[in-house]
Each structure stands twice: as structure tokens, then as C-alpha cells.
Amino acid sequence: MFKKSHSRALTKRHKVAIAGVATLGAATLAFSAVPGNAETTTSEAASSAKVAYSSEQLKGLRSDVTEQLAGVSLQSQAAEAAAAKKVAAKAASEAAAKKKAAAEAAAKKKAAAEAAAKKKAEQERKAKEAASRSAKRAVVKAAAPKTYANNLDGWIKESLDIMKSKGIPGTYNGLYRNIIRESSGNPNAINNWDVNAVNGTPSIGLLQIIKPTFDAYHVSGTPFSQYDPVANIVASANYAADKYGSIDNVNGAY
């Protein structure tokens, strides 16, 4: 008996096969009904025997029906295989679609991550550049040399900045007061009449310092000359700090 799912597959050929089976059954019954002593039967029985199938005919009919049934079975199997193949193809298509969708989603996520990383890197680069420009401006600003007037006021102010960086005590008033007393503000002043001059080491410059003292208390970064106003002031203030605590404590010849 065929499964319900195959009921729709009963084609014309299926019907022929079923009819053949029925005919075969009927013929078999007819052949069995013919008596062995056909010669003693009535004329009506003889007439019936003539229309009955012979054993050869029944064999051929049986073979044909068997072939038809085999064909029906093959068609049914083919239909089942085609249906299974269709289902498998659909499943494969759906799996491929899901895989494609997943790949697209992953690609979008990766692209978004790369874009975010690129944006962050660009922001960091700009921040570094801004910091670098700021640092360069600060360096340029710090490196800009401070200018001083080329006069007594400018010499004292420059000397005070150097003294501050070297830790040498002294004030504007202390320097100015001693300079005016010693040289009247003349960086080229020289004493050729005191004991130092007699000994060959005359007092020179704004604070009238002798060469041995200048050499001993010279401050690095200033010219090595007693006639240079700034070098003279700083060396003299350095000497006064060592001997008197500060140039401010000097109120006469030192």
C-alpha cells in the first residue's frame, strides 16, 4: 500500500498498472475455472475457455505489470530524492545567506572600529602637534634674550640678574652706592697712585677691583676683563659677599 504523501503521484501510468493487476487477477481466476476434461464440458463452457488467458499470456501480463510497478517505485523514489534535494538546496541557500549576513555585519563592525581608531589617532596626532607648537613657542619665548640698556642702570640690572642666578647677594642700591664712590660710574676708571698701583696691580673699572681679586672671583658667563662693566660688578659683588656677606655691607674702600 502506498504512503499518503505519494497519493498525488498516481499518474495515468499508475492507473494502468493498477488496472493490469486487476486484470491479471481476473484472468487467473478464469484460467482456474476451466476443467481438466474440457472435452466433456458443454459448448458454452468451451466458448468460455477460448476467451480465458493462457499461461504464457498470464506470464507476459504479470511481467508487464511488474515492470509498471517497478517504474512507479522508481518515479516515487526520484520524486522523494528531488524533494530532499530541493530541501537541502533551500537549507544550503539559507545557511549561505546567514553566513553572508554575518560576514557583512562583521565587515561593518570592523570598518567602524577602524574608523574610530583612525579618528582617535588623528585626534592624538593633532593634540601632539598642538602641544609641540606650544612647547616650541615656550622655548622660543624662554630663549629670547633679555636686553639691557648700555648705561649704568642697564649694567647694574644685568649684574643683579646674573648674581641672582649664581646665588650672590646684593641690591641695586648697594651696587649703585659703591660704584659712584669708587668710579663715578666710569667703567674705564683706573687708579694709578695707590699702593695697588705701586705694586703693579692698579684698581680698575666701576668697582675698582685689582686683577688678582678679579681673577679669583670672576663669575663664569661674563667676559674675562676688568674693564667690562658687568663682569667687573659681578666679580666685585662676589668678592664682597665672601669677605663682608654682601656688597650692601660695604660703605668704604674694600
Side-chain angles (χ1 to χ4, degrees), residues 182-225:
E182 295 292 333
S183 65
S184 299
N186 180 10
N188 296 315
I190 182 171
N191 186 326
N192 290 315
W193 59 86
D194 65 4
V195 65
N196 291 318
V198 173
N199 292 331
T201 55
S203 301
I204 296 173
L206 291 176
L207 285 169
Q208 293 291 286
I209 189 170
I210 61 176
K211 185 165 177 41
T213 303
F214 177 84
D215 292 346
Y217 289 94
H218 172 261
V219 175
S220 61
T222 62
F224 210 93
S225 170

Short mmCIF file of all heavy atoms in Angstrom, two decimals, residues 182-225:
data_model
loop_
_atom_site.label_atom_id
_atom_site.label_comp_id
_atom_site.label_asym_id
_atom_site.label_seq_id
_atom_site.Cartn_x
_atom_site.Cartn_y
_atom_site.Cartn_z
N GLU A 182 83.42 104.68 44.05
CA GLU A 182 84.69 104.15 43.54
C GLU A 182 85.08 104.73 42.18
O GLU A 182 86.27 104.99 41.94
CB GLU A 182 84.61 102.62 43.43
CG GLU A 182 84.47 101.91 44.77
CD GLU A 182 85.73 102.05 45.62
OE1 GLU A 182 86.84 102.23 45.07
OE2 GLU A 182 85.61 101.98 46.85
N SER A 183 84.09 104.89 41.25
CA SER A 183 84.47 105.30 39.89
C SER A 183 83.59 106.36 39.27
O SER A 183 83.81 106.74 38.11
CB SER A 183 84.45 104.08 38.97
OG SER A 183 83.11 103.59 38.85
N SER A 184 82.58 106.82 40.00
CA SER A 184 81.60 107.78 39.47
C SER A 184 80.87 107.22 38.25
O SER A 184 80.36 107.98 37.42
CB SER A 184 82.29 109.10 39.10
OG SER A 184 82.88 109.69 40.25
N GLY A 185 80.85 105.86 38.12
CA GLY A 185 80.12 105.22 37.03
C GLY A 185 80.91 105.09 35.75
O GLY A 185 80.34 104.79 34.69
N ASN A 186 82.25 105.26 35.81
CA ASN A 186 83.11 105.16 34.63
C ASN A 186 83.74 103.76 34.57
O ASN A 186 84.61 103.44 35.40
CB ASN A 186 84.20 106.23 34.69
CG ASN A 186 85.13 106.16 33.48
OD1 ASN A 186 84.86 105.45 32.51
ND2 ASN A 186 86.23 106.91 33.55
N PRO A 187 83.36 102.89 33.58
CA PRO A 187 83.91 101.54 33.51
C PRO A 187 85.39 101.51 33.15
O PRO A 187 86.05 100.49 33.36
CB PRO A 187 83.06 100.87 32.41
CG PRO A 187 82.59 102.00 31.56
CD PRO A 187 82.38 103.15 32.50
N ASN A 188 85.94 102.62 32.67
CA ASN A 188 87.36 102.66 32.28
C ASN A 188 88.25 103.35 33.33
O ASN A 188 89.43 103.60 33.09
CB ASN A 188 87.53 103.39 30.95
CG ASN A 188 86.84 102.66 29.81
OD1 ASN A 188 86.98 101.43 29.70
ND2 ASN A 188 86.10 103.38 28.98
N ALA A 189 87.62 103.63 34.49
CA ALA A 189 88.41 104.31 35.55
C ALA A 189 89.54 103.41 36.02
O ALA A 189 89.38 102.18 36.14
CB ALA A 189 87.48 104.66 36.70
N ILE A 190 90.70 104.04 36.32
CA ILE A 190 91.87 103.28 36.79
C ILE A 190 92.62 104.13 37.82
O ILE A 190 92.78 105.34 37.67
CB ILE A 190 92.81 102.90 35.62
CG1 ILE A 190 93.99 102.07 36.11
CG2 ILE A 190 93.23 104.12 34.83
CD1 ILE A 190 94.83 101.48 34.99
N ASN A 191 93.08 103.50 38.89
CA ASN A 191 93.81 104.18 39.96
C ASN A 191 95.29 103.90 39.78
O ASN A 191 95.74 102.77 39.93
CB ASN A 191 93.32 103.68 41.32
CG ASN A 191 93.92 104.43 42.49
OD1 ASN A 191 95.08 104.86 42.43
ND2 ASN A 191 93.16 104.57 43.57
N ASN A 192 96.04 104.94 39.47
CA ASN A 192 97.47 104.79 39.23
C ASN A 192 98.34 105.36 40.36
O ASN A 192 99.54 105.50 40.20
CB ASN A 192 97.87 105.49 37.92
CG ASN A 192 97.31 104.77 36.71
OD1 ASN A 192 97.39 103.54 36.64
ND2 ASN A 192 96.74 105.52 35.76
N TRP A 193 97.72 105.67 41.51
CA TRP A 193 98.52 106.31 42.54
C TRP A 193 98.50 105.60 43.90
O TRP A 193 99.30 105.94 44.76
CB TRP A 193 98.05 107.76 42.75
CG TRP A 193 96.59 107.87 43.15
CD1 TRP A 193 96.07 107.79 44.39
CD2 TRP A 193 95.53 108.08 42.27
NE1 TRP A 193 94.72 107.92 44.35
CE2 TRP A 193 94.34 108.12 43.02
CE3 TRP A 193 95.42 108.24 40.87
CZ2 TRP A 193 93.09 108.31 42.48
CZ3 TRP A 193 94.16 108.45 40.33
CH2 TRP A 193 93.01 108.47 41.13
N ASP A 194 97.58 104.61 44.09
CA ASP A 194 97.55 103.97 45.42
C ASP A 194 98.56 102.82 45.50
O ASP A 194 99.33 102.57 44.56
CB ASP A 194 96.14 103.48 45.75
CG ASP A 194 95.65 102.38 44.82
OD1 ASP A 194 96.42 101.93 43.95
OD2 ASP A 194 94.47 101.94 44.95
N VAL A 195 98.56 102.13 46.62
CA VAL A 195 99.53 101.08 46.88
C VAL A 195 99.41 99.94 45.88
O VAL A 195 100.40 99.31 45.51
CB VAL A 195 99.40 100.55 48.32
CG1 VAL A 195 98.05 99.88 48.54
CG2 VAL A 195 100.54 99.61 48.68
N ASN A 196 98.19 99.69 45.44
CA ASN A 196 97.99 98.63 44.45
C ASN A 196 98.68 98.96 43.13
O ASN A 196 99.30 98.10 42.49
CB ASN A 196 96.50 98.38 44.20
CG ASN A 196 95.82 97.76 45.41
OD1 ASN A 196 96.36 96.87 46.05
ND2 ASN A 196 94.62 98.25 45.74
N ALA A 197 98.58 100.25 42.76
CA ALA A 197 99.25 100.69 41.53
C ALA A 197 100.75 100.58 41.69
O ALA A 197 101.47 100.18 40.76
CB ALA A 197 98.85 102.12 41.21
N VAL A 198 101.26 100.96 42.89
CA VAL A 198 102.69 100.85 43.14
C VAL A 198 103.15 99.39 43.02
O VAL A 198 104.24 99.09 42.52
CB VAL A 198 103.02 101.41 44.54
CG1 VAL A 198 104.47 101.14 44.90
CG2 VAL A 198 102.71 102.90 44.60
N ASN A 199 102.29 98.48 43.46
CA ASN A 199 102.62 97.05 43.40
C ASN A 199 102.38 96.45 42.01
O ASN A 199 102.61 95.26 41.78
CB ASN A 199 101.79 96.27 44.42
CG ASN A 199 102.20 96.62 45.84
OD1 ASN A 199 103.37 96.98 46.11
ND2 ASN A 199 101.23 96.51 46.78
N GLY A 200 101.94 97.26 41.08
CA GLY A 200 101.75 96.79 39.70
C GLY A 200 100.39 96.19 39.42
O GLY A 200 100.16 95.62 38.35
N THR A 201 99.49 96.33 40.37
CA THR A 201 98.12 95.80 40.16
C THR A 201 97.12 96.90 40.45
O THR A 201 96.45 96.92 41.49
CB THR A 201 97.84 94.59 41.07
OG1 THR A 201 98.08 94.99 42.44
CG2 THR A 201 98.71 93.41 40.71
N PRO A 202 97.00 97.89 39.58
CA PRO A 202 96.10 99.01 39.83
C PRO A 202 94.63 98.59 39.88
O PRO A 202 94.23 97.59 39.29
CB PRO A 202 96.36 99.93 38.64
CG PRO A 202 96.82 99.03 37.55
CD PRO A 202 97.62 97.96 38.23
N SER A 203 93.85 99.38 40.62
CA SER A 203 92.41 99.13 40.71
C SER A 203 91.75 99.65 39.42
O SER A 203 92.04 100.77 38.98
CB SER A 203 91.82 99.85 41.92
OG SER A 203 92.44 99.40 43.11
N ILE A 204 90.87 98.81 38.85
CA ILE A 204 90.30 99.14 37.53
C ILE A 204 88.77 98.94 37.54
O ILE A 204 88.25 98.07 38.22
CB ILE A 204 90.93 98.25 36.43
CG1 ILE A 204 92.44 98.54 36.31
CG2 ILE A 204 90.22 98.43 35.09
CD1 ILE A 204 93.16 97.60 35.37
N GLY A 205 88.06 99.77 36.76
CA GLY A 205 86.65 99.58 36.48
C GLY A 205 85.70 100.22 37.45
O GLY A 205 86.07 101.02 38.30
N LEU A 206 84.42 99.88 37.32
CA LEU A 206 83.36 100.51 38.08
C LEU A 206 83.53 100.37 39.58
O LEU A 206 83.27 101.30 40.34
CB LEU A 206 82.00 99.90 37.68
CG LEU A 206 81.50 100.22 36.26
CD1 LEU A 206 80.19 99.47 35.98
CD2 LEU A 206 81.29 101.72 36.08
N LEU A 207 83.98 99.19 40.06
CA LEU A 207 84.15 98.98 41.50
C LEU A 207 85.62 98.84 41.88
O LEU A 207 85.95 98.34 42.96
CB LEU A 207 83.34 97.74 41.94
CG LEU A 207 81.83 98.00 42.02
CD1 LEU A 207 81.06 96.68 42.20
CD2 LEU A 207 81.51 98.94 43.17
N GLN A 208 86.50 99.32 40.99
CA GLN A 208 87.94 99.41 41.28
C GLN A 208 88.49 98.12 41.90
O GLN A 208 88.97 98.10 43.03
CB GLN A 208 88.21 100.61 42.20
CG GLN A 208 87.94 101.96 41.57
CD GLN A 208 88.95 102.28 40.47
OE1 GLN A 208 90.12 102.62 40.72
NE2 GLN A 208 88.52 102.16 39.22
N ILE A 209 88.44 97.05 41.15
CA ILE A 209 88.93 95.76 41.59
C ILE A 209 90.28 95.49 40.95
O ILE A 209 90.51 95.83 39.79
CB ILE A 209 87.92 94.64 41.25
CG1 ILE A 209 88.29 93.31 41.90
CG2 ILE A 209 87.73 94.50 39.75
CD1 ILE A 209 87.20 92.24 41.78
N ILE A 210 91.22 94.92 41.72
CA ILE A 210 92.54 94.62 41.18
C ILE A 210 92.48 93.27 40.45
O ILE A 210 91.59 92.43 40.69
CB ILE A 210 93.62 94.60 42.26
CG1 ILE A 210 93.31 93.51 43.30
CG2 ILE A 210 93.72 95.98 42.93
CD1 ILE A 210 94.39 93.35 44.37
N LYS A 211 93.44 93.01 39.56
CA LYS A 211 93.41 91.82 38.72
C LYS A 211 93.43 90.51 39.50
O LYS A 211 92.66 89.59 39.18
CB LYS A 211 94.54 91.85 37.70
CG LYS A 211 94.46 90.66 36.71
CD LYS A 211 95.35 90.90 35.53
CE LYS A 211 95.35 89.71 34.57
NZ LYS A 211 94.06 89.09 34.32
N PRO A 212 94.31 90.33 40.53
CA PRO A 212 94.30 89.06 41.26
C PRO A 212 92.94 88.74 41.88
O PRO A 212 92.49 87.60 41.86
CB PRO A 212 95.37 89.26 42.33
CG PRO A 212 96.30 90.25 41.75
CD PRO A 212 95.42 91.20 41.00
N THR A 213 92.30 89.80 42.43
CA THR A 213 90.98 89.58 43.03
C THR A 213 89.94 89.28 41.95
O THR A 213 89.09 88.39 42.11
CB THR A 213 90.55 90.82 43.83
OG1 THR A 213 91.53 91.11 44.83
CG2 THR A 213 89.20 90.60 44.49
N PHE A 214 90.02 90.01 40.83
CA PHE A 214 89.09 89.77 39.73
C PHE A 214 89.23 88.33 39.22
O PHE A 214 88.23 87.64 38.99
CB PHE A 214 89.35 90.76 38.59
CG PHE A 214 88.49 90.53 37.38
CD1 PHE A 214 87.21 91.04 37.31
CD2 PHE A 214 88.96 89.78 36.29
CE1 PHE A 214 86.40 90.82 36.19
CE2 PHE A 214 88.17 89.56 35.18
CZ PHE A 214 86.88 90.08 35.13
N ASP A 215 90.46 87.88 39.03
CA ASP A 215 90.70 86.52 38.54
C ASP A 215 90.16 85.47 39.52
O ASP A 215 89.59 84.45 39.11
CB ASP A 215 92.19 86.28 38.32
CG ASP A 215 92.75 87.12 37.18
OD1 ASP A 215 91.94 87.67 36.39
OD2 ASP A 215 93.99 87.23 37.05
N ALA A 216 90.32 85.71 40.80
CA ALA A 216 89.91 84.74 41.81
C ALA A 216 88.38 84.67 41.95
O ALA A 216 87.83 83.60 42.23
CB ALA A 216 90.52 85.09 43.16
N TYR A 217 87.70 85.81 41.74
CA TYR A 217 86.25 85.85 41.95
C TYR A 217 85.45 86.07 40.65
O TYR A 217 84.25 86.35 40.72
CB TYR A 217 85.92 86.95 42.96
CG TYR A 217 86.36 86.60 44.35
CD1 TYR A 217 87.60 87.01 44.83
CD2 TYR A 217 85.54 85.84 45.19
CE1 TYR A 217 88.03 86.67 46.10
CE2 TYR A 217 85.96 85.50 46.47
CZ TYR A 217 87.20 85.91 46.92
OH TYR A 217 87.63 85.56 48.20
N HIS A 218 86.10 85.88 39.53
CA HIS A 218 85.39 86.02 38.25
C HIS A 218 84.24 85.03 38.18
O HIS A 218 84.35 83.87 38.59
CB HIS A 218 86.37 85.78 37.08
CG HIS A 218 85.69 85.72 35.75
ND1 HIS A 218 85.38 84.54 35.12
CD2 HIS A 218 85.25 86.73 34.95
CE1 HIS A 218 84.80 84.80 33.97
NE2 HIS A 218 84.71 86.13 33.84
N VAL A 219 83.11 85.50 37.64
CA VAL A 219 81.91 84.66 37.52
C VAL A 219 81.79 84.17 36.08
O VAL A 219 81.82 84.98 35.13
CB VAL A 219 80.64 85.44 37.92
CG1 VAL A 219 79.39 84.59 37.68
CG2 VAL A 219 80.73 85.86 39.38
N SER A 220 81.69 82.84 35.95
CA SER A 220 81.60 82.26 34.60
C SER A 220 80.38 82.80 33.86
O SER A 220 79.34 83.07 34.45
CB SER A 220 81.49 80.74 34.69
OG SER A 220 80.33 80.36 35.41
N GLY A 221 80.53 82.97 32.56
CA GLY A 221 79.44 83.51 31.74
C GLY A 221 79.62 84.99 31.46
O GLY A 221 78.90 85.54 30.63
N THR A 222 80.55 85.63 32.14
CA THR A 222 80.83 87.05 31.91
C THR A 222 82.22 87.18 31.27
O THR A 222 83.07 86.30 31.43
CB THR A 222 80.80 87.84 33.22
OG1 THR A 222 81.83 87.35 34.10
CG2 THR A 222 79.45 87.72 33.90
N PRO A 223 82.45 88.26 30.52
CA PRO A 223 83.75 88.44 29.88
C PRO A 223 84.89 88.46 30.90
O PRO A 223 84.71 88.92 32.03
CB PRO A 223 83.62 89.80 29.18
CG PRO A 223 82.15 89.97 28.96
CD PRO A 223 81.50 89.34 30.16
N PHE A 224 86.06 87.94 30.52
CA PHE A 224 87.21 87.90 31.43
C PHE A 224 88.02 89.19 31.26
O PHE A 224 89.18 89.18 30.83
CB PHE A 224 88.07 86.68 31.11
CG PHE A 224 88.78 86.14 32.30
CD1 PHE A 224 88.22 85.13 33.07
CD2 PHE A 224 90.01 86.67 32.69
CE1 PHE A 224 88.87 84.63 34.18
CE2 PHE A 224 90.67 86.18 33.80
CZ PHE A 224 90.10 85.15 34.55
N SER A 225 87.38 90.31 31.68
CA SER A 225 88.02 91.61 31.55
C SER A 225 87.55 92.53 32.67
O SER A 225 86.34 92.66 32.90
CB SER A 225 87.69 92.25 30.20
OG SER A 225 88.14 93.61 30.17
#
